[in-house]
Every structure is written in structure tokens, then in C-alpha cells.
Amino acid sequence: MDLGAYRPVLANRDTRSALLLGFLIRVPMWAGGVILTLHVVTSLGRSYGEAGLVTAASTVAVAVSGPWRGRLLDRIGLRRTVGPSLLVQVVCWSVAPWVGYLPLVAFAALAGLFVVPTFSILRQVIIGSVPAEQRRTALSLDSSATELSFMAGPAIGVWLATSWHTGWALLVCELASAAAGFVMWLVNPPLTSGRPEGAPEAGHDEQGEGARAEAIAAPAVPGRGVAPRAVRGFITVPVAAVLLAAACSTLVLSGTDVSIVAALRSFGSTGSIGWVLALWGAGSLVGGLVYGAWHRSLSVFWLLGGLAATTAPVALALGVPSFAVLVTVSGFLCAPTITATVEQLSRLVSERFRGEMMGWHGSAMTAGSAVGAPVAGFAIDHGGWSWGFVVVSALGVLIAGLGWLASRRGREVAEPGPAAAAEASAVAAPASPDGVAPTDSEHGVPAATIDH
């Protein structure tokens, strides 16, 4: 582990700006989510279930909009994508705090459809601003900054909602988020590295963690492997496996969140929920920083399996002290797992599809989060709080194993061996007049993929 790896990343002005801007955007975003729930319950006098429906409407809309907004980033750039979104956000959240329940649901859904794709934008900026060998470190910093904003945002939201009328608190938070988005629009950071498409990325380690040439561009050699079919130009079996891992990671996390609340209520320590969740987030923060300083990347499927495996022992806790320790340990692989999904996708997918890829990644994580809570809740209702941890852990281990097998199978199909590669070059390269194949044939073969 080399903490000095963070020095060149933090010295990069574009990376520094993206990390700071991300923190400023995400704090009011997390705060706004808490305030929205409190607004429905207190100011509108509705139930928590009805508050959950408002959140669900917004969440579904954000999940649907992810690939669409990402595709726009790829096609028309940051400013033309973000500009209309900012106008919709300002209009929706200027009106939404002062309307009844059903109009609020509609405004929340509309705002979700036109949400500024901040996670996609900032991660693209970070990926494009650093060399390949610094990518994991930079993304780990982003995950750690996200953890810090998640720890600060809800606390600020609760304070605002209890100090002011929830309508004003909601208005202030959402407009602050829009203002931060406007700053991003003004700065207009570059979303790509500026390297020519297909240019090699320097700095790969001895394990072969290079950027991957698109498998669909490789010539097929009869009998030696077929290039995989790609949906939308980039979604191959390995890519789909990583997206599944991203969804499963948030399934485990959202299920753990619900199970923590249920466990502490069972222990008669409801007042401990806040600081136990903070410890969970602190474990993730430390894990993210350690992973960023680690000497090599790890497969997302190994990390997901580890995240799930360390979640199961929480079910063995006998009281609040042991529960807090086990929860903190279970959080250690949260940020590394999320970081690994982004890093591995950035190597599997061509830069020209990166915006849409990040949109699908965000949608996958949103979908996993939406599934995890009810799955854990069902297990808790039928078997007690400990079963919430056990069930999401078992699902995580299962998906990690299946994803690893699918990804490995996809690589075997996509990549011919050395002999096949040589044959492909011999078949594809036209002979020169003196009978020697030229060395600059445009019919290349895929570069080595990540194989941990």
C-alpha cells in the first residue's frame, strides 16, 4: 500500500476540481432526499409509506433517465445536456414544496427524469483527467468523497427540516443543488481524455491491467473464437456482468441499511441508529482510501463476494457493541466494490460510449438499491433481523460467483489465444509486393483484458 499514490492525483487540477464540485453537489442532494420524506410526513401529514412512494417515483425516474442522459453527454456534450436539466430542476423544485401530495409525486418524477447526471459527469471527468495507472486511486478518492457527503448531507437535511418549515428547507436544498450544477455548467470540464480513439494507455502494471480494445472490432478467425455481440455498441457479456455486480452491490448495501435499523430496534437501541450508520460509512471511507493506495486492482467479483461475505457475520451479533464492530467491518469493502465497477467498465468500454455506460451503471445501482430493501424487509418479517443480513449476503455471493463465470466466459469467447491472434494477423494483413506483410495493418486484435 502506497499512500503517496494520492499525491499526483490531488496535484491534478481537473481531478481536484471534480472532487470538490462533486462534494458540493452531493451534500444538498443527500440532504434533499431526507427533507423530502420529512416534508411529506410532517407538512403534508401523510404516512411514511406515502413518503416512500414519492421517493420511489423519483428513483424510478432517475433510473430510467440514466442511459438517456448519458447518451446525450456522448452525443451533444455537457453544456447542451445540463442546461435544459437545470431549467427543469429550478422550475420543479420552486413549485413542488408548495403543492399537495399528488402534484408533488408528479414534480418529483419529472425532476428525476431531467436530473443532472452528476455522478456520470464527474466520474467521466475523473477518468479522463488521469493516466490509466492513476485511475483506481482517483476513483477511490471520488468514492471516499461520496461517503463524506453521505455522512454530512442527511444530518444537514434533518437540521434544516427541524429548524425551518420543510417547504423552505426543501426549496433551499434543491436550489443549492441546482446552483452547484450551474457551476459545473460554467466550468464545463472535459469529459474525455483527449487521446485519439484506440490509443493505448500507458502505465499498466505487470498484471496486464491495460485498456481494452473493443472486442467487436476484432476480426474473427474461423474455428478460433467469435467476437461477442454488443448491444448498443458496447454491452457485451463481460460488461453486463459488471453491471450486474454494480446492481448487486447496492442490493447488499440497501438490504444492510434496512437490517441495521431492524436490528437496533430489536436491541431496544433505536437512538444508536445514527452513530452506527456513521460507523458503517466510516468503514467504507477507510476501505476506499486503502483500496486507492493498493498496489493493484482487484476483480469486482472478488470484491463483491468479499462485501457479501463480511456482511453475513453481522447476523451473529449479541448486542450493540459487537453489532457496531461487525457493521464497521462489513462497510470496509463498500467503496472499493463501487470503485471497481466503475474502473472495470471504463476499461471494457470505449471512451466514445462512456457517458451512456455510466448512465447504465447508475441505473443498475439504482435498481439494485430498489430491490435490496424489500428483499431484506421480507426476510426480516419472516425470520427476524438477522435473516436480513443472511439473505442479502447469500445473494451477493451467488451473483459474484455467476458474474465471475460469465465474465470469464465472455473473455474466452472474445479473445483468441496467441496462435489464433497470429493467424488472424496473417489472414487479415495484405501482402506487400515483396511478400512481407506490412507491420501497420489496421486489422488489429484485442488488447489484453483485466484478468485478476
Side-chain angles (χ1 to χ4, degrees), residues 197-230:
E197 184 69 27
E201 295 178 348
H204 306 156
D205 65 20
E206 65 275 11
Q207 299 297 327
E209 294 180 274
R212 176 178 181 158
E214 288 184 278
I216 57 173
V221 180
R224 297 298 185 96
V226 180
R229 291 189 177 186

PDB file of all heavy atoms in Angstrom, residues 197-230:
ATOM      1  N   GLU A 197      -9.044   7.936 -30.315  1.00  0.00           N
ATOM      2  CA  GLU A 197      -9.756   6.680 -30.054  1.00  0.00           C
ATOM      3  C   GLU A 197      -8.877   5.494 -30.405  1.00  0.00           C
ATOM      4  O   GLU A 197      -8.293   5.415 -31.480  1.00  0.00           O
ATOM      5  CB  GLU A 197     -11.026   6.624 -30.899  1.00  0.00           C
ATOM      6  CG  GLU A 197     -11.883   5.411 -30.625  1.00  0.00           C
ATOM      7  CD  GLU A 197     -12.514   5.466 -29.245  1.00  0.00           C
ATOM      8  OE1 GLU A 197     -12.726   6.564 -28.736  1.00  0.00           O
ATOM      9  OE2 GLU A 197     -12.790   4.381 -28.695  1.00  0.00           O
ATOM     10  N   GLY A 198      -8.757   4.565 -29.432  1.00  0.00           N
ATOM     11  CA  GLY A 198      -7.939   3.377 -29.650  1.00  0.00           C
ATOM     12  C   GLY A 198      -6.490   3.556 -29.276  1.00  0.00           C
ATOM     13  O   GLY A 198      -5.722   2.609 -29.330  1.00  0.00           O
ATOM     14  N   ALA A 199      -6.088   4.793 -28.864  1.00  0.00           N
ATOM     15  CA  ALA A 199      -4.699   4.971 -28.454  1.00  0.00           C
ATOM     16  C   ALA A 199      -4.432   4.212 -27.180  1.00  0.00           C
ATOM     17  O   ALA A 199      -5.252   4.177 -26.277  1.00  0.00           O
ATOM     18  CB  ALA A 199      -4.412   6.459 -28.249  1.00  0.00           C
ATOM     19  N   PRO A 200      -3.285   3.606 -27.047  1.00  0.00           N
ATOM     20  CA  PRO A 200      -3.000   2.827 -25.853  1.00  0.00           C
ATOM     21  C   PRO A 200      -2.823   3.727 -24.648  1.00  0.00           C
ATOM     22  O   PRO A 200      -2.365   4.860 -24.764  1.00  0.00           O
ATOM     23  CB  PRO A 200      -1.691   2.099 -26.206  1.00  0.00           C
ATOM     24  CG  PRO A 200      -1.049   2.951 -27.243  1.00  0.00           C
ATOM     25  CD  PRO A 200      -2.166   3.567 -28.022  1.00  0.00           C
ATOM     26  N   GLU A 201      -3.139   3.205 -23.484  1.00  0.00           N
ATOM     27  CA  GLU A 201      -2.989   3.943 -22.245  1.00  0.00           C
ATOM     28  C   GLU A 201      -1.745   3.422 -21.542  1.00  0.00           C
ATOM     29  O   GLU A 201      -1.600   2.236 -21.297  1.00  0.00           O
ATOM     30  CB  GLU A 201      -4.205   3.756 -21.344  1.00  0.00           C
ATOM     31  CG  GLU A 201      -5.469   4.347 -21.940  1.00  0.00           C
ATOM     32  CD  GLU A 201      -6.673   4.098 -21.055  1.00  0.00           C
ATOM     33  OE1 GLU A 201      -6.557   3.277 -20.114  1.00  0.00           O
ATOM     34  OE2 GLU A 201      -7.701   4.701 -21.284  1.00  0.00           O
ATOM     35  N   ALA A 202      -0.855   4.321 -21.207  1.00  0.00           N
ATOM     36  CA  ALA A 202       0.374   3.927 -20.542  1.00  0.00           C
ATOM     37  C   ALA A 202       0.120   3.623 -19.088  1.00  0.00           C
ATOM     38  O   ALA A 202      -0.876   4.014 -18.515  1.00  0.00           O
ATOM     39  CB  ALA A 202       1.409   5.054 -20.676  1.00  0.00           C
ATOM     40  N   GLY A 203       1.086   2.934 -18.493  1.00  0.00           N
ATOM     41  CA  GLY A 203       1.041   2.757 -17.051  1.00  0.00           C
ATOM     42  C   GLY A 203       0.380   1.497 -16.573  1.00  0.00           C
ATOM     43  O   GLY A 203       0.038   1.380 -15.421  1.00  0.00           O
ATOM     44  N   HIS A 204       0.183   0.531 -17.397  1.00  0.00           N
ATOM     45  CA  HIS A 204      -0.428  -0.710 -16.944  1.00  0.00           C
ATOM     46  C   HIS A 204       0.587  -1.476 -16.110  1.00  0.00           C
ATOM     47  O   HIS A 204       1.765  -1.506 -16.419  1.00  0.00           O
ATOM     48  CB  HIS A 204      -0.856  -1.550 -18.146  1.00  0.00           C
ATOM     49  CG  HIS A 204      -1.726  -0.775 -19.077  1.00  0.00           C
ATOM     50  ND1 HIS A 204      -1.851  -1.088 -20.400  1.00  0.00           N
ATOM     51  CD2 HIS A 204      -2.517   0.310 -18.885  1.00  0.00           C
ATOM     52  CE1 HIS A 204      -2.671  -0.244 -20.995  1.00  0.00           C
ATOM     53  NE2 HIS A 204      -3.073   0.611 -20.078  1.00  0.00           N
ATOM     54  N   ASP A 205       0.107  -2.147 -15.099  1.00  0.00           N
ATOM     55  CA  ASP A 205       1.031  -2.866 -14.237  1.00  0.00           C
ATOM     56  C   ASP A 205       1.358  -4.227 -14.826  1.00  0.00           C
ATOM     57  O   ASP A 205       0.894  -4.622 -15.880  1.00  0.00           O
ATOM     58  CB  ASP A 205       0.474  -3.000 -12.814  1.00  0.00           C
ATOM     59  CG  ASP A 205      -0.772  -3.841 -12.747  1.00  0.00           C
ATOM     60  OD1 ASP A 205      -1.001  -4.623 -13.681  1.00  0.00           O
ATOM     61  OD2 ASP A 205      -1.513  -3.733 -11.752  1.00  0.00           O
ATOM     62  N   GLU A 206       2.194  -4.963 -14.097  1.00  0.00           N
ATOM     63  CA  GLU A 206       2.670  -6.232 -14.625  1.00  0.00           C
ATOM     64  C   GLU A 206       1.586  -7.275 -14.723  1.00  0.00           C
ATOM     65  O   GLU A 206       1.770  -8.327 -15.333  1.00  0.00           O
ATOM     66  CB  GLU A 206       3.806  -6.768 -13.729  1.00  0.00           C
ATOM     67  CG  GLU A 206       3.375  -7.117 -12.317  1.00  0.00           C
ATOM     68  CD  GLU A 206       3.401  -5.901 -11.412  1.00  0.00           C
ATOM     69  OE1 GLU A 206       3.553  -4.791 -11.945  1.00  0.00           O
ATOM     70  OE2 GLU A 206       3.278  -6.071 -10.196  1.00  0.00           O
ATOM     71  N   GLN A 207       0.408  -7.019 -14.120  1.00  0.00           N
ATOM     72  CA  GLN A 207      -0.668  -7.999 -14.188  1.00  0.00           C
ATOM     73  C   GLN A 207      -1.480  -7.866 -15.469  1.00  0.00           C
ATOM     74  O   GLN A 207      -2.430  -8.606 -15.687  1.00  0.00           O
ATOM     75  CB  GLN A 207      -1.595  -7.817 -12.974  1.00  0.00           C
ATOM     76  CG  GLN A 207      -0.897  -8.025 -11.638  1.00  0.00           C
ATOM     77  CD  GLN A 207      -0.387  -9.428 -11.493  1.00  0.00           C
ATOM     78  OE1 GLN A 207      -1.004 -10.360 -12.000  1.00  0.00           O
ATOM     79  NE2 GLN A 207       0.731  -9.599 -10.821  1.00  0.00           N
ATOM     80  N   GLY A 208      -1.156  -6.871 -16.299  1.00  0.00           N
ATOM     81  CA  GLY A 208      -1.863  -6.743 -17.574  1.00  0.00           C
ATOM     82  C   GLY A 208      -3.152  -5.981 -17.463  1.00  0.00           C
ATOM     83  O   GLY A 208      -4.101  -6.233 -18.194  1.00  0.00           O
ATOM     84  N   GLU A 209      -3.209  -4.962 -16.580  1.00  0.00           N
ATOM     85  CA  GLU A 209      -4.441  -4.211 -16.408  1.00  0.00           C
ATOM     86  C   GLU A 209      -4.490  -3.085 -17.426  1.00  0.00           C
ATOM     87  O   GLU A 209      -4.563  -1.915 -17.079  1.00  0.00           O
ATOM     88  CB  GLU A 209      -4.519  -3.647 -14.995  1.00  0.00           C
ATOM     89  CG  GLU A 209      -4.644  -4.694 -13.937  1.00  0.00           C
ATOM     90  CD  GLU A 209      -4.720  -4.040 -12.584  1.00  0.00           C
ATOM     91  OE1 GLU A 209      -3.672  -3.772 -12.006  1.00  0.00           O
ATOM     92  OE2 GLU A 209      -5.835  -3.778 -12.151  1.00  0.00           O
ATOM     93  N   GLY A 210      -4.437  -3.382 -18.669  1.00  0.00           N
ATOM     94  CA  GLY A 210      -4.449  -2.372 -19.706  1.00  0.00           C
ATOM     95  C   GLY A 210      -5.841  -2.006 -20.121  1.00  0.00           C
ATOM     96  O   GLY A 210      -6.801  -2.638 -19.745  1.00  0.00           O
ATOM     97  N   ALA A 211      -5.919  -0.943 -20.935  1.00  0.00           N
ATOM     98  CA  ALA A 211      -7.200  -0.595 -21.517  1.00  0.00           C
ATOM     99  C   ALA A 211      -7.539  -1.642 -22.555  1.00  0.00           C
ATOM    100  O   ALA A 211      -6.676  -2.175 -23.241  1.00  0.00           O
ATOM    101  CB  ALA A 211      -7.111   0.781 -22.170  1.00  0.00           C
ATOM    102  N   ARG A 212      -8.809  -1.911 -22.678  1.00  0.00           N
ATOM    103  CA  ARG A 212      -9.223  -2.988 -23.569  1.00  0.00           C
ATOM    104  C   ARG A 212      -9.691  -2.439 -24.901  1.00  0.00           C
ATOM    105  O   ARG A 212     -10.540  -1.586 -24.958  1.00  0.00           O
ATOM    106  CB  ARG A 212     -10.362  -3.755 -22.908  1.00  0.00           C
ATOM    107  CG  ARG A 212     -10.924  -4.834 -23.804  1.00  0.00           C
ATOM    108  CD  ARG A 212     -12.009  -5.575 -23.075  1.00  0.00           C
ATOM    109  NE  ARG A 212     -12.521  -6.617 -23.911  1.00  0.00           N
ATOM    110  CZ  ARG A 212     -13.144  -7.665 -23.449  1.00  0.00           C
ATOM    111  NH1 ARG A 212     -13.307  -7.809 -22.158  1.00  0.00           N
ATOM    112  NH2 ARG A 212     -13.610  -8.574 -24.265  1.00  0.00           N
ATOM    113  N   ALA A 213      -9.149  -2.970 -25.982  1.00  0.00           N
ATOM    114  CA  ALA A 213      -9.679  -2.640 -27.298  1.00  0.00           C
ATOM    115  C   ALA A 213     -11.020  -3.314 -27.440  1.00  0.00           C
ATOM    116  O   ALA A 213     -11.251  -4.372 -26.887  1.00  0.00           O
ATOM    117  CB  ALA A 213      -8.729  -3.143 -28.389  1.00  0.00           C
ATOM    118  N   GLU A 214     -11.895  -2.676 -28.162  1.00  0.00           N
ATOM    119  CA  GLU A 214     -13.232  -3.244 -28.274  1.00  0.00           C
ATOM    120  C   GLU A 214     -13.205  -4.581 -28.998  1.00  0.00           C
ATOM    121  O   GLU A 214     -12.645  -4.714 -30.087  1.00  0.00           O
ATOM    122  CB  GLU A 214     -14.136  -2.297 -29.057  1.00  0.00           C
ATOM    123  CG  GLU A 214     -14.500  -1.057 -28.275  1.00  0.00           C
ATOM    124  CD  GLU A 214     -15.466  -0.234 -29.070  1.00  0.00           C
ATOM    125  OE1 GLU A 214     -15.012   0.507 -29.940  1.00  0.00           O
ATOM    126  OE2 GLU A 214     -16.661  -0.361 -28.832  1.00  0.00           O
ATOM    127  N   ALA A 215     -13.847  -5.575 -28.384  1.00  0.00           N
ATOM    128  CA  ALA A 215     -13.849  -6.902 -28.981  1.00  0.00           C
ATOM    129  C   ALA A 215     -14.600  -6.922 -30.307  1.00  0.00           C
ATOM    130  O   ALA A 215     -14.290  -7.704 -31.190  1.00  0.00           O
ATOM    131  CB  ALA A 215     -14.474  -7.909 -28.018  1.00  0.00           C
ATOM    132  N   ILE A 216     -15.568  -6.026 -30.448  1.00  0.00           N
ATOM    133  CA  ILE A 216     -16.356  -6.045 -31.677  1.00  0.00           C
ATOM    134  C   ILE A 216     -15.536  -5.587 -32.872  1.00  0.00           C
ATOM    135  O   ILE A 216     -15.928  -5.796 -34.016  1.00  0.00           O
ATOM    136  CB  ILE A 216     -17.610  -5.154 -31.549  1.00  0.00           C
ATOM    137  CG1 ILE A 216     -17.200  -3.718 -31.196  1.00  0.00           C
ATOM    138  CG2 ILE A 216     -18.561  -5.688 -30.525  1.00  0.00           C
ATOM    139  CD1 ILE A 216     -18.362  -2.754 -31.209  1.00  0.00           C
ATOM    140  N   ALA A 217     -14.389  -4.973 -32.627  1.00  0.00           N
ATOM    141  CA  ALA A 217     -13.562  -4.506 -33.732  1.00  0.00           C
ATOM    142  C   ALA A 217     -12.579  -5.568 -34.206  1.00  0.00           C
ATOM    143  O   ALA A 217     -11.918  -5.403 -35.212  1.00  0.00           O
ATOM    144  CB  ALA A 217     -12.777  -3.260 -33.309  1.00  0.00           C
ATOM    145  N   ALA A 218     -12.492  -6.653 -33.450  1.00  0.00           N
ATOM    146  CA  ALA A 218     -11.504  -7.667 -33.785  1.00  0.00           C
ATOM    147  C   ALA A 218     -12.011  -8.570 -34.888  1.00  0.00           C
ATOM    148  O   ALA A 218     -13.177  -8.945 -34.915  1.00  0.00           O
ATOM    149  CB  ALA A 218     -11.187  -8.505 -32.545  1.00  0.00           C
ATOM    150  N   PRO A 219     -11.130  -8.951 -35.824  1.00  0.00           N
ATOM    151  CA  PRO A 219     -11.542  -9.879 -36.862  1.00  0.00           C
ATOM    152  C   PRO A 219     -11.727 -11.271 -36.288  1.00  0.00           C
ATOM    153  O   PRO A 219     -10.961 -11.714 -35.445  1.00  0.00           O
ATOM    154  CB  PRO A 219     -10.377  -9.848 -37.852  1.00  0.00           C
ATOM    155  CG  PRO A 219      -9.189  -9.468 -37.021  1.00  0.00           C
ATOM    156  CD  PRO A 219      -9.712  -8.569 -35.944  1.00  0.00           C
ATOM    157  N   ALA A 220     -12.739 -11.945 -36.732  1.00  0.00           N
ATOM    158  CA  ALA A 220     -12.974 -13.315 -36.267  1.00  0.00           C
ATOM    159  C   ALA A 220     -12.159 -14.280 -37.110  1.00  0.00           C
ATOM    160  O   ALA A 220     -12.012 -14.119 -38.316  1.00  0.00           O
ATOM    161  CB  ALA A 220     -14.456 -13.661 -36.357  1.00  0.00           C
ATOM    162  N   VAL A 221     -11.624 -15.282 -36.446  1.00  0.00           N
ATOM    163  CA  VAL A 221     -10.892 -16.326 -37.149  1.00  0.00           C
ATOM    164  C   VAL A 221     -11.726 -17.587 -37.094  1.00  0.00           C
ATOM    165  O   VAL A 221     -12.087 -18.034 -36.011  1.00  0.00           O
ATOM    166  CB  VAL A 221      -9.521 -16.572 -36.487  1.00  0.00           C
ATOM    167  CG1 VAL A 221      -8.774 -17.663 -37.228  1.00  0.00           C
ATOM    168  CG2 VAL A 221      -8.719 -15.283 -36.472  1.00  0.00           C
ATOM    169  N   PRO A 222     -12.079 -18.157 -38.240  1.00  0.00           N
ATOM    170  CA  PRO A 222     -12.932 -19.339 -38.223  1.00  0.00           C
ATOM    171  C   PRO A 222     -12.374 -20.424 -37.317  1.00  0.00           C
ATOM    172  O   PRO A 222     -11.215 -20.784 -37.397  1.00  0.00           O
ATOM    173  CB  PRO A 222     -12.927 -19.789 -39.700  1.00  0.00           C
ATOM    174  CG  PRO A 222     -12.606 -18.545 -40.471  1.00  0.00           C
ATOM    175  CD  PRO A 222     -11.686 -17.764 -39.604  1.00  0.00           C
ATOM    176  N   GLY A 223     -13.246 -20.923 -36.438  1.00  0.00           N
ATOM    177  CA  GLY A 223     -12.864 -22.019 -35.564  1.00  0.00           C
ATOM    178  C   GLY A 223     -12.044 -21.598 -34.367  1.00  0.00           C
ATOM    179  O   GLY A 223     -11.668 -22.415 -33.563  1.00  0.00           O
ATOM    180  N   ARG A 224     -11.722 -20.310 -34.244  1.00  0.00           N
ATOM    181  CA  ARG A 224     -10.851 -19.899 -33.146  1.00  0.00           C
ATOM    182  C   ARG A 224     -11.517 -18.891 -32.215  1.00  0.00           C
ATOM    183  O   ARG A 224     -10.869 -18.250 -31.429  1.00  0.00           O
ATOM    184  CB  ARG A 224      -9.579 -19.255 -33.719  1.00  0.00           C
ATOM    185  CG  ARG A 224      -8.757 -20.211 -34.536  1.00  0.00           C
ATOM    186  CD  ARG A 224      -8.257 -21.383 -33.711  1.00  0.00           C
ATOM    187  NE  ARG A 224      -7.370 -22.226 -34.491  1.00  0.00           N
ATOM    188  CZ  ARG A 224      -6.055 -22.110 -34.445  1.00  0.00           C
ATOM    189  NH1 ARG A 224      -5.479 -21.205 -33.694  1.00  0.00           N
ATOM    190  NH2 ARG A 224      -5.315 -22.924 -35.173  1.00  0.00           N
ATOM    191  N   GLY A 225     -12.798 -18.698 -32.299  1.00  0.00           N
ATOM    192  CA  GLY A 225     -13.453 -17.730 -31.416  1.00  0.00           C
ATOM    193  C   GLY A 225     -14.176 -16.695 -32.244  1.00  0.00           C
ATOM    194  O   GLY A 225     -13.762 -16.346 -33.346  1.00  0.00           O
ATOM    195  N   VAL A 226     -15.256 -16.194 -31.745  1.00  0.00           N
ATOM    196  CA  VAL A 226     -16.070 -15.220 -32.449  1.00  0.00           C
ATOM    197  C   VAL A 226     -16.181 -13.974 -31.581  1.00  0.00           C
ATOM    198  O   VAL A 226     -16.373 -14.069 -30.375  1.00  0.00           O
ATOM    199  CB  VAL A 226     -17.477 -15.786 -32.730  1.00  0.00           C
ATOM    200  CG1 VAL A 226     -18.323 -14.766 -33.468  1.00  0.00           C
ATOM    201  CG2 VAL A 226     -17.369 -17.068 -33.541  1.00  0.00           C
ATOM    202  N   ALA A 227     -16.049 -12.810 -32.202  1.00  0.00           N
ATOM    203  CA  ALA A 227     -16.201 -11.571 -31.458  1.00  0.00           C
ATOM    204  C   ALA A 227     -17.609 -11.505 -30.871  1.00  0.00           C
ATOM    205  O   ALA A 227     -18.577 -11.846 -31.541  1.00  0.00           O
ATOM    206  CB  ALA A 227     -15.975 -10.374 -32.386  1.00  0.00           C
ATOM    207  N   PRO A 228     -17.740 -11.078 -29.609  1.00  0.00           N
ATOM    208  CA  PRO A 228     -19.041 -11.086 -28.970  1.00  0.00           C
ATOM    209  C   PRO A 228     -19.969 -10.044 -29.557  1.00  0.00           C
ATOM    210  O   PRO A 228     -19.530  -8.998 -30.005  1.00  0.00           O
ATOM    211  CB  PRO A 228     -18.714 -10.739 -27.504  1.00  0.00           C
ATOM    212  CG  PRO A 228     -17.455  -9.928 -27.597  1.00  0.00           C
ATOM    213  CD  PRO A 228     -16.699 -10.515 -28.742  1.00  0.00           C
ATOM    214  N   ARG A 229     -21.246 -10.362 -29.558  1.00  0.00           N
ATOM    215  CA  ARG A 229     -22.226  -9.377 -29.981  1.00  0.00           C
ATOM    216  C   ARG A 229     -22.352  -8.314 -28.910  1.00  0.00           C
ATOM    217  O   ARG A 229     -22.371  -8.618 -27.729  1.00  0.00           O
ATOM    218  CB  ARG A 229     -23.577 -10.041 -30.218  1.00  0.00           C
ATOM    219  CG  ARG A 229     -23.600 -10.958 -31.432  1.00  0.00           C
ATOM    220  CD  ARG A 229     -25.013 -11.396 -31.736  1.00  0.00           C
ATOM    221  NE  ARG A 229     -25.071 -12.204 -32.933  1.00  0.00           N
ATOM    222  CZ  ARG A 229     -26.206 -12.624 -33.476  1.00  0.00           C
ATOM    223  NH1 ARG A 229     -27.364 -12.329 -32.899  1.00  0.00           N
ATOM    224  NH2 ARG A 229     -26.191 -13.353 -34.575  1.00  0.00           N
ATOM    225  N   ALA A 230     -22.463  -7.080 -29.344  1.00  0.00           N
ATOM    226  CA  ALA A 230     -22.556  -5.970 -28.401  1.00  0.00           C
ATOM    227  C   ALA A 230     -23.884  -5.263 -28.586  1.00  0.00           C
ATOM    228  O   ALA A 230     -24.233  -4.845 -29.683  1.00  0.00           O
ATOM    229  CB  ALA A 230     -21.404  -4.986 -28.610  1.00  0.00           C
TER     230      ALA A 230
END
